[in-house]
């Protein structure tokens, strides 16, 4: 039984699929290392965050913004995986960054820059702070304002 537990832990730590490895790197980047990775336990339909001190945190125990950042990282990693395999699909996001603080929004936009190099992005928002952060990083001609 101890061998099974150790083998499972080894797989979850070292052998996670590329998408989870990439998502973990991005999550560590967005959170400035407060969380060092995320893992999907074998045979379970959940994702857990791991703090830099090794503590595992269920998504239900994370702030709304941090949980959303975790899932953004998974989406971006999936988009990267598809693009690396020659499948370039548009990525459509609606108010994706609304619950992010300014620092994590800026870091998320850094990741968005990387993803945008591999495919088309459509980012919808009605929040001025998201538009301002976006236009500070991307060209103004990439913003289309829709009227009501």
């Amino acid at each position: 039984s101890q061998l099974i537990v150790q083998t499972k832990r080894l797989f979850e730590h070292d052998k996670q699929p590329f998408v989870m490895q990439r998502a973990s790197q991005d999550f560590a980047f967005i959170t400035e290392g407060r969380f060092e990775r995320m893992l999907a336990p074998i045979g379970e339909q959940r994702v857990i965050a791991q703090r830099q001190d090794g503590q595992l945190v269920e998504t239900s125990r994370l702030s709304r913004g941090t949980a959303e950042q975790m899932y953004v990282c998974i989406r971006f990693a999936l988009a990267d995986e598809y693009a690396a395999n020659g499948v370039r699909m548009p990525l459509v996001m609606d108010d994706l960054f609304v619950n992010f603080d300014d620092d994590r929004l800026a870091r998320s936009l850094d990741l968005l820059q990387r993803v945008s190099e591999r495919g088309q992005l459509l980012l919808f928002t009605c929040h001025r702070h998201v538009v301002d952060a976006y236009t500070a990083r991307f060209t103004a001609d990439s913003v289309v304002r829709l009227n009501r």
Side-chain angles (χ1 to χ4, degrees), residues 13-99:
H13 188 269
D14 296 334
K15 305 294 184 193
Q16 289 280 315
F18 168 80
V19 170
M20 288 304 292
Q21 291 176 14
R22 182 53 176 254
S24 289
Q25 292 168 358
D26 292 348
F27 190 52
F29 174 75
I30 287 177
T31 63
E32 296 181 276
R34 286 192 178 101
F35 292 91
E36 65 179 21
R37 72 186 187 103
M38 60 180 90
L39 61 125
I42 297 172
E44 299 180 32
Q45 296 292 318
R46 65 188 178 124
V47 179
I48 301 171
Q50 182 176 334
R51 294 186 189 274
Q52 65 188 50
D53 65 3
Q55 178 187 10
L56 299 178
V57 182
E58 297 285 338
T59 54
S60 63
R61 306 285 298 159
L62 298 171
S63 70
R64 181 173 180 170
T66 302
E68 289 177 5
Q69 290 150 18
M70 181 186 247
Y71 291 111
V72 162
C73 292
I74 294 170
R75 287 181 69 182
F76 287 176
L78 281 169
D80 281 346
E81 176 73 4
Y82 277 108
N85 288 303
V87 179
R88 296 181 182 264
M89 302 182 325
L91 191 56
V92 180
M93 300 166 287
D94 186 17
D95 274 334
L96 193 62
F97 305 119
V98 87
N99 292 308

Side-chain angles (χ1 to χ4, degrees), residues 118-131:
R118 292 194 176 193
Q120 181 182 28
L121 299 174
L122 300 171
L123 173 62
F124 295 92
T125 188
C126 62
H127 297 275
R128 169 55 73 194
H129 76 281
V130 174
V131 173

Side-chain angles (χ1 to χ4, degrees), residues 99-112:
N99 292 308
F100 292 21
D101 64 33
D102 291 341
D103 291 335
R104 290 188 180 183
L105 172 59
R107 295 173 93 63
S108 296
L109 290 174
D110 287 343
L111 296 179
L112 188 69

